[in-house]
Amino acid sequence: MKIDIQYKIPKKILTPTSGFLYGYSHSLNPYAGCAFGCSYCYVRQSPIGLFRKQAWGTWVDVKQEARELLIKEIRQLRMRNKEITIFMSSSTDPYQPVEYKEKVTRTLLEALVESPPDFLFVQTRSPLVTRDIDLFLHLKDRIRISVTVETDLEEVRKRFSPQAPPIQARLKALKEMKEADLPTQAAVAPVLPFSKEFPAILSNVTDRVVIDDYSGDGSQGKRTDRLGISQLYDKEQLEQWYHNRPRQFTAEEMKTAFRSGQIFVGQQGFMPF
């Protein structure tokens, strides 16, 4: 699929947070739009997804001069003695394919190494995240890297997010970061149908897991219902994996491989230290 890529200079790079991300002072999005275009992405039903006259997943705006903006905004916040806790990213994937060439995310991380926040949360589903291990290590005591792994079944991944990276590549990325002694987690969010081996598979690559279902879409599942995601489930999967909001079931399954203190459900798993 050809992606429409445009280059824009934003007025600001940090966005004050609220709602689901109430524990953070700001979100940081290196791009607008996301080429992964996951079927269940709640951003499809947000203003940025609804008001653009292009289908979600077909366009990406590259934010230029982002590094300079970030340094300037952090400096201003520090002058006001503000706590700076950053969620990267809330409405895009910072390591989507365009990042290989544009490296906006890497330049932002370089700025954060130079002017460290109090806490940085990195959320992605891309194995490209391991490229920046060298920078993460500078922020080791104030960072968590979260990699989405919604299922261990590749056929399920292909059905719900065909443009997203393969599951095995994400697991390998988590393992590499764990071996680098970085704080990581697997985000089983949203929960998709998985095998009995899934908990053990995750426990081999990370020490922490966070679980959520579509009720975590910012509207208790209403946004997801409007997307018609239920149609992607096999008939025998609908009751257990969609209608019953499976995060509690998944949390119980994870107890076969994780201690209770390593399992988080919903919003709590995405909060700062």
Side-chain angles (χ1 to χ4, degrees), residues 5-15 27-33 48 52 59-70 73 87-94 96 98-99 102-108:
I5 298 177
Q6 298 183 27
Y7 295 84
K8 299 185 177 181
I9 300 177
K11 293 182 179 179
K12 293 182 69 65
I13 194 68
L14 288 173
T15 303
S27 62
L28 174 59
N29 292 285
Y31 303 95
I48 191 172
R52 182 83 166 233
W59 60 273
V60 175
D61 292 345
V62 179
K63 296 184 181 180
Q64 297 187 293
E65 301 181 13
R67 183 183 189 279
E68 294 76 13
L69 268 176
L70 181 57
E73 291 175 31
F87 190 100
M88 184 173 77
S89 298
S90 60
S91 61
T92 189
D93 194 305
Q96 62 180 296
V98 70
E99 172 64 14
E102 301 298 340
K103 297 182 173 64
V104 179
T105 298
R106 183 164 178 89
T107 62
L108 290 172

Side-chain angles (χ1 to χ4, degrees), residues 16 23 32 46 62 90 102 108 116-117 136-137 141 178 181 190 203 223-224 254:
S46 70
V62 179
S90 60
E102 301 298 340
L108 290 172
F136 295 149
L137 288 170
D141 296 331
K178 179 182 179 182
D181 201 25
S203 68
R223 284 176 174 173
T224 305
M254 289 298 160

